[in-house]
Amino acid sequence: MREVATKAAPTTFTGAYAVLHATSLFVAWCMERDEPLDIETLFTEANVEHFVSTGMPHLQSHSRNSYRAALRRTGRAATRHALWSPAPQALGRRSLRAPYTHQEIDWLWEIARSQPSIGRRRAARALMALGYGAGLSLAEIVVFPGCQIKVSEAGVLVEVTGERARIVPALPEAHADLIAMRADHYDATVLADVRPSRTAGAGVVANLVVPEGAPRFDSVRLRTTWMVTLLVRGARLSEVTALAGITSTKNFQDIIDFVPRRSLEEIATVLAGGAS
């Protein structure tokens, strides 16, 4: 399975997990059928389709489709002689970038707090606290001053001004950094002492130091991860869109697979007026 994953050459932690997880289920299914453990024999289009049809009856159709797509990509990359039909042409719609995993977020916090200079630590912590902690876009973070961080009985609130004005309750894991930023940069922009411009934020982010093999700081992925986190913790879709300052939900189909489904028993309890 490691050999196959290496040949598939995933470029992100999320992609590597998807390849290994799909491959593990597929190979276990093939072993139960006493299939010879040879890549060219196992990874055929017919075997993958048979597995998708019969090997995962407990999964929803969208999950089976995700596994099929991962296995087809992997099979094309890992085999030299197996015949595969051409991959379907990608549609033109721009997709949201996949969210970070919990482990990647923890790693990014650690990297942010261990940057080699005060300025880089300031920028990285601001990016994490406002991007992941409150869902701000990079354009909003660049101009955000510490005085717009409020502490109240409701927790730590982030007040966004401008075209998409809103007040966002921050995630608890960002509270300490936000409170420190309010104290340290009350009358200044929290990201850096740079003149806000279309490229200023990107330049600050590009200057952050990231160890080899670690996830890169990506403001779009941080915002997507924040949206997924809100949904997982029980926020309603209408609330997430309001807190994100958006009016369309068309891109939410790209992150729905990252929001675990509750069991039928849990859903029934919610519908009966029990726990939410």
Side-chain angles (χ1 to χ4, degrees), residues 24-69:
S24 300
L25 293 176
F26 176 65
V27 172
W29 177 81
C30 290
M31 291 176 67
E32 291 175 357
R33 293 163 51 83
D34 292 325
E35 296 278 354
L37 296 182
D38 173 75
I39 292 176
E40 294 287 341
T41 303
L42 288 184
F43 283 85
T44 65
E45 190 164 9
N47 274 351
V48 168
E49 291 304 315
H50 191 192
F51 167 67
V52 172
S53 300
T54 64
M56 302 179 288
H58 60 293
L59 296 180
Q60 298 291 330
S61 59
H62 70 277
S63 296
R64 293 200 301 272
N65 286 333
S66 296
Y67 286 125
R68 172 195 276 132

mmCIF file of all heavy atoms in Angstrom, residues 24-69:
data_model
loop_
_atom_site.group_PDB
_atom_site.id
_atom_site.type_symbol
_atom_site.label_atom_id
_atom_site.label_comp_id
_atom_site.label_asym_id
_atom_site.label_seq_id
_atom_site.Cartn_x
_atom_site.Cartn_y
_atom_site.Cartn_z
ATOM 1 N N SER A 24 -6.233 0.915 1.489
ATOM 2 C CA SER A 24 -6.330 -0.073 2.570
ATOM 3 C C SER A 24 -7.632 -0.858 2.489
ATOM 4 O O SER A 24 -7.648 -2.091 2.579
ATOM 5 C CB SER A 24 -6.220 0.614 3.935
ATOM 6 O OG SER A 24 -4.991 1.284 4.062
ATOM 7 N N LEU A 25 -8.733 -0.139 2.323
ATOM 8 C CA LEU A 25 -10.027 -0.821 2.226
ATOM 9 C C LEU A 25 -10.081 -1.733 1.007
ATOM 10 O O LEU A 25 -10.578 -2.864 1.069
ATOM 11 C CB LEU A 25 -11.150 0.222 2.151
ATOM 12 C CG LEU A 25 -11.383 1.070 3.401
ATOM 13 C CD1 LEU A 25 -12.454 2.118 3.135
ATOM 14 C CD2 LEU A 25 -11.791 0.208 4.579
ATOM 15 N N PHE A 26 -9.563 -1.231 -0.107
ATOM 16 C CA PHE A 26 -9.595 -1.993 -1.354
ATOM 17 C C PHE A 26 -8.740 -3.253 -1.264
ATOM 18 O O PHE A 26 -9.181 -4.353 -1.634
ATOM 19 C CB PHE A 26 -9.119 -1.104 -2.504
ATOM 20 C CG PHE A 26 -9.016 -1.797 -3.825
ATOM 21 C CD1 PHE A 26 -10.144 -2.285 -4.465
ATOM 22 C CD2 PHE A 26 -7.784 -1.969 -4.446
ATOM 23 C CE1 PHE A 26 -10.055 -2.912 -5.698
ATOM 24 C CE2 PHE A 26 -7.675 -2.594 -5.669
ATOM 25 C CZ PHE A 26 -8.814 -3.083 -6.295
ATOM 26 N N VAL A 27 -7.517 -3.137 -0.742
ATOM 27 C CA VAL A 27 -6.624 -4.294 -0.654
ATOM 28 C C VAL A 27 -7.167 -5.318 0.341
ATOM 29 O O VAL A 27 -7.084 -6.526 0.105
ATOM 30 C CB VAL A 27 -5.196 -3.845 -0.278
ATOM 31 C CG1 VAL A 27 -4.309 -5.044 0.019
ATOM 32 C CG2 VAL A 27 -4.592 -3.027 -1.414
ATOM 33 N N ALA A 28 -7.734 -4.862 1.466
ATOM 34 C CA ALA A 28 -8.332 -5.797 2.421
ATOM 35 C C ALA A 28 -9.465 -6.581 1.767
ATOM 36 O O ALA A 28 -9.599 -7.802 1.970
ATOM 37 C CB ALA A 28 -8.848 -5.030 3.647
ATOM 38 N N TRP A 29 -10.268 -5.905 0.974
ATOM 39 C CA TRP A 29 -11.363 -6.571 0.250
ATOM 40 C C TRP A 29 -10.812 -7.595 -0.739
ATOM 41 O O TRP A 29 -11.312 -8.713 -0.853
ATOM 42 C CB TRP A 29 -12.189 -5.510 -0.477
ATOM 43 C CG TRP A 29 -13.314 -6.024 -1.317
ATOM 44 C CD1 TRP A 29 -14.552 -6.405 -0.901
ATOM 45 C CD2 TRP A 29 -13.305 -6.175 -2.750
ATOM 46 N NE1 TRP A 29 -15.325 -6.784 -1.972
ATOM 47 C CE2 TRP A 29 -14.585 -6.657 -3.121
ATOM 48 C CE3 TRP A 29 -12.355 -5.944 -3.736
ATOM 49 C CZ2 TRP A 29 -14.921 -6.917 -4.446
ATOM 50 C CZ3 TRP A 29 -12.681 -6.201 -5.052
ATOM 51 C CH2 TRP A 29 -13.945 -6.680 -5.402
ATOM 52 N N CYS A 30 -9.743 -7.236 -1.441
ATOM 53 C CA CYS A 30 -9.132 -8.165 -2.398
ATOM 54 C C CYS A 30 -8.530 -9.371 -1.692
ATOM 55 O O CYS A 30 -8.610 -10.505 -2.193
ATOM 56 C CB CYS A 30 -8.046 -7.455 -3.201
ATOM 57 S SG CYS A 30 -8.662 -6.228 -4.376
ATOM 58 N N MET A 31 -7.936 -9.178 -0.513
ATOM 59 C CA MET A 31 -7.362 -10.300 0.238
ATOM 60 C C MET A 31 -8.443 -11.270 0.682
ATOM 61 O O MET A 31 -8.236 -12.487 0.676
ATOM 62 C CB MET A 31 -6.584 -9.768 1.444
ATOM 63 C CG MET A 31 -5.303 -9.021 1.070
ATOM 64 S SD MET A 31 -4.463 -8.292 2.507
ATOM 65 C CE MET A 31 -3.960 -9.779 3.377
ATOM 66 N N GLU A 32 -9.603 -10.743 1.073
ATOM 67 C CA GLU A 32 -10.713 -11.620 1.453
ATOM 68 C C GLU A 32 -11.171 -12.475 0.284
ATOM 69 O O GLU A 32 -11.694 -13.578 0.479
ATOM 70 C CB GLU A 32 -11.881 -10.784 1.974
ATOM 71 C CG GLU A 32 -11.618 -10.116 3.320
ATOM 72 C CD GLU A 32 -12.746 -9.198 3.751
ATOM 73 O OE1 GLU A 32 -13.708 -9.034 2.971
ATOM 74 O OE2 GLU A 32 -12.657 -8.651 4.862
ATOM 75 N N ARG A 33 -10.954 -12.001 -0.933
ATOM 76 C CA ARG A 33 -11.330 -12.746 -2.133
ATOM 77 C C ARG A 33 -10.167 -13.578 -2.671
ATOM 78 O O ARG A 33 -10.253 -14.154 -3.761
ATOM 79 C CB ARG A 33 -11.790 -11.747 -3.207
ATOM 80 C CG ARG A 33 -13.074 -11.020 -2.862
ATOM 81 C CD ARG A 33 -13.270 -9.782 -3.725
ATOM 82 N NE ARG A 33 -13.124 -10.076 -5.152
ATOM 83 C CZ ARG A 33 -14.093 -10.565 -5.925
ATOM 84 N NH1 ARG A 33 -15.279 -10.819 -5.381
ATOM 85 N NH2 ARG A 33 -13.883 -10.796 -7.204
ATOM 86 N N ASP A 34 -9.046 -13.637 -1.889
ATOM 87 C CA ASP A 34 -7.858 -14.415 -2.276
ATOM 88 C C ASP A 34 -7.274 -13.969 -3.612
ATOM 89 O O ASP A 34 -6.755 -14.781 -4.383
ATOM 90 C CB ASP A 34 -8.197 -15.926 -2.327
ATOM 91 C CG ASP A 34 -8.487 -16.489 -0.950
ATOM 92 O OD1 ASP A 34 -7.846 -16.031 0.028
ATOM 93 O OD2 ASP A 34 -9.359 -17.369 -0.857
ATOM 94 N N GLU A 35 -7.332 -12.654 -3.867
ATOM 95 C CA GLU A 35 -6.720 -12.115 -5.080
ATOM 96 C C GLU A 35 -5.201 -12.072 -4.892
ATOM 97 O O GLU A 35 -4.712 -11.770 -3.793
ATOM 98 C CB GLU A 35 -7.224 -10.698 -5.350
ATOM 99 C CG GLU A 35 -8.707 -10.594 -5.637
ATOM 100 C CD GLU A 35 -9.049 -10.920 -7.080
ATOM 101 O OE1 GLU A 35 -8.097 -11.122 -7.873
ATOM 102 O OE2 GLU A 35 -10.242 -10.982 -7.391
ATOM 103 N N PRO A 36 -4.420 -12.384 -5.910
ATOM 104 C CA PRO A 36 -2.955 -12.284 -5.786
ATOM 105 C C PRO A 36 -2.536 -10.828 -5.555
ATOM 106 O O PRO A 36 -3.045 -9.918 -6.212
ATOM 107 C CB PRO A 36 -2.446 -12.805 -7.131
ATOM 108 C CG PRO A 36 -3.598 -12.643 -8.077
ATOM 109 C CD PRO A 36 -4.829 -12.823 -7.249
ATOM 110 N N LEU A 37 -1.624 -10.629 -4.607
ATOM 111 C CA LEU A 37 -1.236 -9.277 -4.231
ATOM 112 C C LEU A 37 -0.186 -8.730 -5.206
ATOM 113 O O LEU A 37 0.987 -8.569 -4.874
ATOM 114 C CB LEU A 37 -0.715 -9.254 -2.795
ATOM 115 C CG LEU A 37 -1.740 -9.627 -1.723
ATOM 116 C CD1 LEU A 37 -1.127 -9.521 -0.341
ATOM 117 C CD2 LEU A 37 -2.971 -8.746 -1.832
ATOM 118 N N ASP A 38 -0.635 -8.425 -6.385
ATOM 119 C CA ASP A 38 0.193 -7.850 -7.436
ATOM 120 C C ASP A 38 -0.488 -6.588 -7.922
ATOM 121 O O ASP A 38 -1.688 -6.591 -8.224
ATOM 122 C CB ASP A 38 0.370 -8.840 -8.589
ATOM 123 C CG ASP A 38 1.085 -8.198 -9.766
ATOM 124 O OD1 ASP A 38 2.308 -8.002 -9.667
ATOM 125 O OD2 ASP A 38 0.397 -7.862 -10.761
ATOM 126 N N ILE A 39 0.248 -5.479 -7.983
ATOM 127 C CA ILE A 39 -0.360 -4.193 -8.319
ATOM 128 C C ILE A 39 -1.086 -4.237 -9.655
ATOM 129 O O ILE A 39 -2.223 -3.778 -9.787
ATOM 130 C CB ILE A 39 0.715 -3.081 -8.312
ATOM 131 C CG1 ILE A 39 1.214 -2.842 -6.885
ATOM 132 C CG2 ILE A 39 0.150 -1.775 -8.880
ATOM 133 C CD1 ILE A 39 2.345 -1.833 -6.792
ATOM 134 N N GLU A 40 -0.443 -4.812 -10.662
ATOM 135 C CA GLU A 40 -1.043 -4.837 -11.999
ATOM 136 C C GLU A 40 -2.301 -5.696 -12.043
ATOM 137 O O GLU A 40 -3.210 -5.438 -12.833
ATOM 138 C CB GLU A 40 -0.019 -5.358 -13.022
ATOM 139 C CG GLU A 40 1.184 -4.467 -13.230
ATOM 140 C CD GLU A 40 0.843 -3.205 -14.025
ATOM 141 O OE1 GLU A 40 -0.199 -3.177 -14.710
ATOM 142 O OE2 GLU A 40 1.618 -2.230 -13.947
ATOM 143 N N THR A 41 -2.361 -6.711 -11.167
ATOM 144 C CA THR A 41 -3.535 -7.595 -11.134
ATOM 145 C C THR A 41 -4.660 -6.996 -10.305
ATOM 146 O O THR A 41 -5.836 -7.074 -10.659
ATOM 147 C CB THR A 41 -3.144 -8.970 -10.565
ATOM 148 O OG1 THR A 41 -2.097 -9.525 -11.359
ATOM 149 C CG2 THR A 41 -4.338 -9.917 -10.562
ATOM 150 N N LEU A 42 -4.278 -6.381 -9.164
ATOM 151 C CA LEU A 42 -5.297 -5.823 -8.269
ATOM 152 C C LEU A 42 -5.923 -4.556 -8.836
ATOM 153 O O LEU A 42 -7.148 -4.405 -8.863
ATOM 154 C CB LEU A 42 -4.676 -5.509 -6.908
ATOM 155 C CG LEU A 42 -4.304 -6.657 -5.984
ATOM 156 C CD1 LEU A 42 -3.798 -6.104 -4.660
ATOM 157 C CD2 LEU A 42 -5.492 -7.568 -5.746
ATOM 158 N N PHE A 43 -5.074 -3.631 -9.252
ATOM 159 C CA PHE A 43 -5.558 -2.299 -9.620
ATOM 160 C C PHE A 43 -5.982 -2.273 -11.088
ATOM 161 O O PHE A 43 -5.281 -1.753 -11.954
ATOM 162 C CB PHE A 43 -4.496 -1.239 -9.319
ATOM 163 C CG PHE A 43 -4.406 -0.891 -7.871
ATOM 164 C CD1 PHE A 43 -3.625 -1.650 -7.022
ATOM 165 C CD2 PHE A 43 -5.134 0.155 -7.334
ATOM 166 C CE1 PHE A 43 -3.557 -1.358 -5.666
ATOM 167 C CE2 PHE A 43 -5.079 0.459 -5.985
ATOM 168 C CZ PHE A 43 -4.288 -0.300 -5.151
ATOM 169 N N THR A 44 -7.140 -2.864 -11.316
ATOM 170 C CA THR A 44 -7.763 -2.798 -12.631
ATOM 171 C C THR A 44 -9.092 -2.066 -12.481
ATOM 172 O O THR A 44 -9.670 -2.019 -11.385
ATOM 173 C CB THR A 44 -8.017 -4.194 -13.214
ATOM 174 O OG1 THR A 44 -8.997 -4.878 -12.389
ATOM 175 C CG2 THR A 44 -6.733 -5.011 -13.262
ATOM 176 N N GLU A 45 -9.562 -1.520 -13.559
ATOM 177 C CA GLU A 45 -10.824 -0.783 -13.510
ATOM 178 C C GLU A 45 -11.974 -1.686 -13.090
ATOM 179 O O GLU A 45 -12.841 -1.286 -12.315
ATOM 180 C CB GLU A 45 -11.096 -0.152 -14.877
ATOM 181 C CG GLU A 45 -12.258 0.831 -14.867
ATOM 182 C CD GLU A 45 -12.273 1.720 -16.096
ATOM 183 O OE1 GLU A 45 -11.488 1.459 -17.029
ATOM 184 O OE2 GLU A 45 -13.064 2.677 -16.112
ATOM 185 N N ALA A 46 -11.963 -2.945 -13.584
ATOM 186 C CA ALA A 46 -13.041 -3.876 -13.242
ATOM 187 C C ALA A 46 -13.056 -4.177 -11.744
ATOM 188 O O ALA A 46 -14.119 -4.210 -11.110
ATOM 189 C CB ALA A 46 -12.878 -5.174 -14.043
ATOM 190 N N ASN A 47 -11.858 -4.405 -11.156
ATOM 191 C CA ASN A 47 -11.796 -4.685 -9.721
ATOM 192 C C ASN A 47 -12.261 -3.498 -8.893
ATOM 193 O O ASN A 47 -12.986 -3.654 -7.901
ATOM 194 C CB ASN A 47 -10.360 -5.056 -9.326
ATOM 195 C CG ASN A 47 -10.061 -6.521 -9.514
ATOM 196 O OD1 ASN A 47 -10.964 -7.312 -9.780
ATOM 197 N ND2 ASN A 47 -8.795 -6.889 -9.394
ATOM 198 N N VAL A 48 -11.829 -2.317 -9.278
ATOM 199 C CA VAL A 48 -12.235 -1.123 -8.532
ATOM 200 C C VAL A 48 -13.745 -0.940 -8.596
ATOM 201 O O VAL A 48 -14.397 -0.675 -7.570
ATOM 202 C CB VAL A 48 -11.499 0.128 -9.070
ATOM 203 C CG1 VAL A 48 -12.128 1.407 -8.511
ATOM 204 C CG2 VAL A 48 -10.023 0.077 -8.696
ATOM 205 N N GLU A 49 -14.332 -1.096 -9.763
ATOM 206 C CA GLU A 49 -15.779 -0.923 -9.895
ATOM 207 C C GLU A 49 -16.541 -1.993 -9.121
ATOM 208 O O GLU A 49 -17.588 -1.711 -8.521
ATOM 209 C CB GLU A 49 -16.176 -0.944 -11.374
ATOM 210 C CG GLU A 49 -15.708 0.268 -12.177
ATOM 211 C CD GLU A 49 -16.187 1.582 -11.596
ATOM 212 O OE1 GLU A 49 -17.389 1.669 -11.242
ATOM 213 O OE2 GLU A 49 -15.389 2.523 -11.474
ATOM 214 N N HIS A 50 -16.023 -3.228 -9.122
ATOM 215 C CA HIS A 50 -16.671 -4.304 -8.350
ATOM 216 C C HIS A 50 -16.607 -4.001 -6.857
ATOM 217 O O HIS A 50 -17.581 -4.186 -6.119
ATOM 218 C CB HIS A 50 -15.984 -5.636 -8.659
ATOM 219 C CG HIS A 50 -16.734 -6.827 -8.139
ATOM 220 N ND1 HIS A 50 -16.198 -8.083 -8.083
ATOM 221 C CD2 HIS A 50 -17.997 -6.954 -7.644
ATOM 222 C CE1 HIS A 50 -17.077 -8.929 -7.584
ATOM 223 N NE2 HIS A 50 -18.178 -8.258 -7.312
ATOM 224 N N PHE A 51 -15.457 -3.495 -6.402
ATOM 225 C CA PHE A 51 -15.307 -3.117 -5.000
ATOM 226 C C PHE A 51 -16.275 -2.000 -4.619
ATOM 227 O O PHE A 51 -16.924 -2.048 -3.563
ATOM 228 C CB PHE A 51 -13.869 -2.683 -4.748
ATOM 229 C CG PHE A 51 -13.648 -1.987 -3.430
ATOM 230 C CD1 PHE A 51 -13.788 -2.664 -2.239
ATOM 231 C CD2 PHE A 51 -13.308 -0.636 -3.390
ATOM 232 C CE1 PHE A 51 -13.589 -2.025 -1.027
ATOM 233 C CE2 PHE A 51 -13.112 0.010 -2.197
ATOM 234 C CZ PHE A 51 -13.253 -0.685 -0.999
ATOM 235 N N VAL A 52 -16.369 -0.980 -5.471
ATOM 236 C CA VAL A 52 -17.265 0.142 -5.184
ATOM 237 C C VAL A 52 -18.714 -0.327 -5.110
ATOM 238 O O VAL A 52 -19.501 0.145 -4.284
ATOM 239 C CB VAL A 52 -17.100 1.241 -6.256
ATOM 240 C CG1 VAL A 52 -18.163 2.324 -6.099
ATOM 241 C CG2 VAL A 52 -15.711 1.875 -6.162
ATOM 242 N N SER A 53 -19.075 -1.302 -5.956
ATOM 243 C CA SER A 53 -20.464 -1.785 -6.009
ATOM 244 C C SER A 53 -20.809 -2.719 -4.856
ATOM 245 O O SER A 53 -21.940 -2.713 -4.373
ATOM 246 C CB SER A 53 -20.711 -2.511 -7.331
ATOM 247 O OG SER A 53 -20.501 -1.645 -8.420
ATOM 248 N N THR A 54 -19.822 -3.532 -4.410
ATOM 249 C CA THR A 54 -20.148 -4.587 -3.437
ATOM 250 C C THR A 54 -19.364 -4.507 -2.137
ATOM 251 O O THR A 54 -19.759 -5.122 -1.145
ATOM 252 C CB THR A 54 -19.890 -5.967 -4.064
ATOM 253 O OG1 THR A 54 -18.480 -6.111 -4.343
ATOM 254 C CG2 THR A 54 -20.673 -6.128 -5.356
ATOM 255 N N GLY A 55 -18.261 -3.784 -2.116
ATOM 256 C CA GLY A 55 -17.380 -3.831 -0.949
ATOM 257 C C GLY A 55 -17.635 -2.796 0.117
ATOM 258 O O GLY A 55 -17.007 -2.836 1.175
ATOM 259 N N MET A 56 -18.550 -1.856 -0.130
ATOM 260 C CA MET A 56 -18.808 -0.796 0.850
ATOM 261 C C MET A 56 -20.307 -0.532 1.003
ATOM 262 O O MET A 56 -20.751 0.608 0.881
ATOM 263 C CB MET A 56 -18.099 0.488 0.422
ATOM 264 C CG MET A 56 -16.601 0.371 0.238
ATOM 265 S SD MET A 56 -15.856 1.943 -0.308
ATOM 266 C CE MET A 56 -16.447 2.001 -2.005
ATOM 267 N N PRO A 57 -21.104 -1.567 1.272
ATOM 268 C CA PRO A 57 -22.556 -1.355 1.326
ATOM 269 C C PRO A 57 -22.998 -0.449 2.466
ATOM 270 O O PRO A 57 -24.098 0.101 2.439
ATOM 271 C CB PRO A 57 -23.098 -2.774 1.514
ATOM 272 C CG PRO A 57 -21.980 -3.527 2.169
ATOM 273 C CD PRO A 57 -20.720 -2.944 1.579
ATOM 274 N N HIS A 58 -22.125 -0.277 3.482
ATOM 275 C CA HIS A 58 -22.494 0.529 4.651
ATOM 276 C C HIS A 58 -22.267 2.025 4.435
ATOM 277 O O HIS A 58 -22.674 2.833 5.268
ATOM 278 C CB HIS A 58 -21.680 0.080 5.860
ATOM 279 C CG HIS A 58 -20.200 0.219 5.683
ATOM 280 N ND1 HIS A 58 -19.485 -0.541 4.765
ATOM 281 C CD2 HIS A 58 -19.287 1.037 6.284
ATOM 282 C CE1 HIS A 58 -18.218 -0.206 4.824
ATOM 283 N NE2 HIS A 58 -18.063 0.756 5.726
ATOM 284 N N LEU A 59 -21.638 2.390 3.322
ATOM 285 C CA LEU A 59 -21.305 3.794 3.091
ATOM 286 C C LEU A 59 -22.325 4.482 2.198
ATOM 287 O O LEU A 59 -22.967 3.847 1.353
ATOM 288 C CB LEU A 59 -19.909 3.905 2.455
ATOM 289 C CG LEU A 59 -18.733 3.428 3.311
ATOM 290 C CD1 LEU A 59 -17.425 3.595 2.553
ATOM 291 C CD2 LEU A 59 -18.675 4.187 4.637
ATOM 292 N N GLN A 60 -22.450 5.794 2.375
ATOM 293 C CA GLN A 60 -23.327 6.589 1.534
ATOM 294 C C GLN A 60 -22.724 6.717 0.133
ATOM 295 O O GLN A 60 -21.520 6.531 -0.073
ATOM 296 C CB GLN A 60 -23.522 7.982 2.143
ATOM 297 C CG GLN A 60 -24.174 7.978 3.516
ATOM 298 C CD GLN A 60 -25.633 7.552 3.465
ATOM 299 O OE1 GLN A 60 -26.312 7.773 2.474
ATOM 300 N NE2 GLN A 60 -26.101 6.933 4.544
ATOM 301 N N SER A 61 -23.571 7.061 -0.830
ATOM 302 C CA SER A 61 -23.118 7.114 -2.218
ATOM 303 C C SER A 61 -22.000 8.141 -2.414
ATOM 304 O O SER A 61 -21.061 7.914 -3.183
ATOM 305 C CB SER A 61 -24.290 7.431 -3.153
ATOM 306 O OG SER A 61 -24.880 8.673 -2.807
ATOM 307 N N HIS A 62 -22.068 9.298 -1.721
ATOM 308 C CA HIS A 62 -21.022 10.308 -1.914
ATOM 309 C C HIS A 62 -19.676 9.804 -1.412
ATOM 310 O O HIS A 62 -18.633 10.127 -1.984
ATOM 311 C CB HIS A 62 -21.411 11.629 -1.236
ATOM 312 C CG HIS A 62 -21.390 11.586 0.257
ATOM 313 N ND1 HIS A 62 -22.446 11.095 0.998
ATOM 314 C CD2 HIS A 62 -20.445 11.949 1.149
ATOM 315 C CE1 HIS A 62 -22.159 11.178 2.272
ATOM 316 N NE2 HIS A 62 -20.946 11.686 2.402
ATOM 317 N N SER A 63 -19.668 8.969 -0.341
ATOM 318 C CA SER A 63 -18.416 8.405 0.157
ATOM 319 C C SER A 63 -17.865 7.371 -0.815
ATOM 320 O O SER A 63 -16.656 7.324 -1.080
ATOM 321 C CB SER A 63 -18.635 7.767 1.532
ATOM 322 O OG SER A 63 -19.004 8.744 2.482
ATOM 323 N N ARG A 64 -18.753 6.537 -1.352
ATOM 324 C CA ARG A 64 -18.305 5.547 -2.333
ATOM 325 C C ARG A 64 -17.725 6.231 -3.568
ATOM 326 O O ARG A 64 -16.726 5.781 -4.136
ATOM 327 C CB ARG A 64 -19.458 4.615 -2.726
ATOM 328 C CG ARG A 64 -19.938 3.713 -1.592
ATOM 329 C CD ARG A 64 -20.705 2.518 -2.099
ATOM 330 N NE ARG A 64 -21.880 2.887 -2.867
ATOM 331 C CZ ARG A 64 -23.083 3.100 -2.330
ATOM 332 N NH1 ARG A 64 -23.243 2.990 -1.020
ATOM 333 N NH2 ARG A 64 -24.111 3.424 -3.085
ATOM 334 N N ASN A 65 -18.348 7.320 -3.978
ATOM 335 C CA ASN A 65 -17.822 8.059 -5.132
ATOM 336 C C ASN A 65 -16.433 8.628 -4.840
ATOM 337 O O ASN A 65 -15.562 8.654 -5.720
ATOM 338 C CB ASN A 65 -18.777 9.193 -5.514
ATOM 339 C CG ASN A 65 -20.028 8.681 -6.200
ATOM 340 O OD1 ASN A 65 -20.008 7.623 -6.824
ATOM 341 N ND2 ASN A 65 -21.108 9.424 -6.091
ATOM 342 N N SER A 66 -16.217 9.093 -3.604
ATOM 343 C CA SER A 66 -14.905 9.621 -3.231
ATOM 344 C C SER A 66 -13.843 8.536 -3.280
ATOM 345 O O SER A 66 -12.729 8.746 -3.776
ATOM 346 C CB SER A 66 -14.957 10.228 -1.827
ATOM 347 O OG SER A 66 -15.828 11.343 -1.790
ATOM 348 N N TYR A 67 -14.187 7.333 -2.758
ATOM 349 C CA TYR A 67 -13.237 6.222 -2.799
ATOM 350 C C TYR A 67 -12.970 5.791 -4.235
ATOM 351 O O TYR A 67 -11.832 5.482 -4.599
ATOM 352 C CB TYR A 67 -13.773 5.041 -1.987
ATOM 353 C CG TYR A 67 -13.696 5.231 -0.501
ATOM 354 C CD1 TYR A 67 -14.820 5.105 0.303
ATOM 355 C CD2 TYR A 67 -12.488 5.557 0.116
ATOM 356 C CE1 TYR A 67 -14.758 5.291 1.674
ATOM 357 C CE2 TYR A 67 -12.417 5.747 1.488
ATOM 358 C CZ TYR A 67 -13.542 5.618 2.264
ATOM 359 O OH TYR A 67 -13.477 5.812 3.615
ATOM 360 N N ARG A 68 -14.006 5.757 -5.046
ATOM 361 C CA ARG A 68 -13.814 5.375 -6.449
ATOM 362 C C ARG A 68 -12.831 6.347 -7.129
ATOM 363 O O ARG A 68 -11.914 5.918 -7.836
ATOM 364 C CB ARG A 68 -15.139 5.372 -7.200
ATOM 365 C CG ARG A 68 -14.944 5.158 -8.711
ATOM 366 C CD ARG A 68 -16.188 5.509 -9.493
ATOM 367 N NE ARG A 68 -17.136 4.427 -9.547
ATOM 368 C CZ ARG A 68 -18.435 4.531 -9.299
ATOM 369 N NH1 ARG A 68 -18.924 5.713 -8.938
ATOM 370 N NH2 ARG A 68 -19.231 3.501 -9.398
ATOM 371 N N ALA A 69 -13.056 7.645 -6.920
ATOM 372 C CA ALA A 69 -12.187 8.637 -7.558
ATOM 373 C C ALA A 69 -10.742 8.472 -7.091
ATOM 374 O O ALA A 69 -9.809 8.537 -7.903
ATOM 375 C CB ALA A 69 -12.695 10.045 -7.246
#
